[in-house]
Amino acid sequence: LDQFYNHYKRHHEGIRQQYEEKASIFTAPPVFIIVCNNTSVSKEVYKFIAGYEFEEKDGTISVVEGHYDLFSNYEPNLKRLRKRPPTLLIDSFALENSDQINDDFKRIFSAEIEEFKKDFIRVHGQGSADQITDAQILREVVNTVGKPGKLGAHIRCVVSVSMLTEGWDANTVTH
């Protein structure tokens, strides 16, 4: 992971685009995918990459920042969740529980969610947007990774289980 991350970081800092004649797919923000073999492993890898919170014996909440600064969902030294966390866990457990789609997420991404609902209505008809689940919103985040103005535009790292066997169109994946 360290080797891939260091290469990703150099790419992120613009090493590759300085050799491009014009903007292309390579100038889009790169995306890093980690594919795990089961949901237990993916959850632990996600915690390592993105960071996590836990409750101490005295009831206080402590934060462990993610191991890699570009992928940590917590602001360095501030020990608080970033408004637009760069790392996403996507697996069957995450889709079923959708704990990544909370009220704060819906507030921060309200414009992108409204845009998604408008597109959903165009495809599925009037009234269909009322039936959108948190799991569908999470799938839309994954489907729009790296696409400006969309729900997944801020995602830089995706931790998943067997994601690549399901088919996924994210042409900004570099690692």
Side-chain angles (χ1 to χ4, degrees):
L1 280 174
D2 288 342
Q3 182 179 6
F4 280 129
Y5 176 76
N6 289 332
H7 185 265
Y8 174 94
K9 191 171 180 178
R10 283 193 309 276
H11 182 89
H12 174 78
E13 292 168 350
I15 299 300
R16 186 170 186 171
Q17 65 191 52
Q18 72 185 6
Y19 296 108
E20 294 180 24
E21 291 180 22
K22 62 181 182 176
S24 72
I25 193 167
F26 298 113
T27 54
V31 179
F32 192 102
I33 298 180
I34 301 169
V35 180
C36 302
N37 61 343
N38 63 53
T39 56
S40 297
V41 171
S42 69
K43 187 174 181 181
E44 293 305 312
V45 169
Y46 173 77
K47 285 169 50 179
F48 175 76
I49 300 284
Y52 59 96
E53 297 176 358
F54 67 95
E55 188 173 342
E56 300 278 358
K57 290 181 182 178
D58 65 1
T60 60
I61 302 295
S62 291
V63 171
V64 175
E65 293 177 23
H67 188 71
Y68 301 113
D69 57 339
L70 291 176
F71 300 152
S72 180
N73 286 349
Y74 292 88
E75 294 185 31
N77 305 318
L78 297 177
K79 305 289 186 186
R80 68 176 180 217
L81 197 60
R82 293 180 189 214
K83 289 188 180 191
R84 294 181 181 259
T87 298
L88 175 72
L89 171 64
I90 186 74
D91 59 26
S92 58
F93 182 79
L95 284 171
E96 289 167 13
N97 295 308
S98 297
D99 59 348
Q100 296 178 86
I101 307 295
N102 56 28
D103 290 338
D104 285 341
F105 181 95
K106 289 177 182 177
R107 181 180 46 77
I108 292 166
F109 293 99
S110 61
E112 291 89 345
I113 291 172
E114 284 306 310
E115 188 64 31
F116 169 58
K117 286 181 177 181
K118 287 177 187 175
D119 291 343
F120 197 84
I121 289 169
R122 275 186 232 130
V123 173
H124 300 285
Q126 196 65 26
S128 60
D130 298 334
Q131 308 302 319
I132 293 175
T133 65
D134 288 350
Q136 286 173 302
I137 292 173
L138 189 56
R139 283 189 191 278
E140 180 65 9
V141 171
V142 172
N143 290 336
T144 58
V145 164
K147 295 179 181 172
K150 300 292 184 176
L151 278 167
H154 66 288
I155 300 296
R156 299 293 170 261
C157 179
V158 177
V159 179
S160 73
V161 177
S162 302
M163 173 181 258
L164 301 178
T165 62
E166 297 172 3
W168 185 49
D169 181 24
N171 49 14
T172 60
V173 173
T174 57
H175 298 78

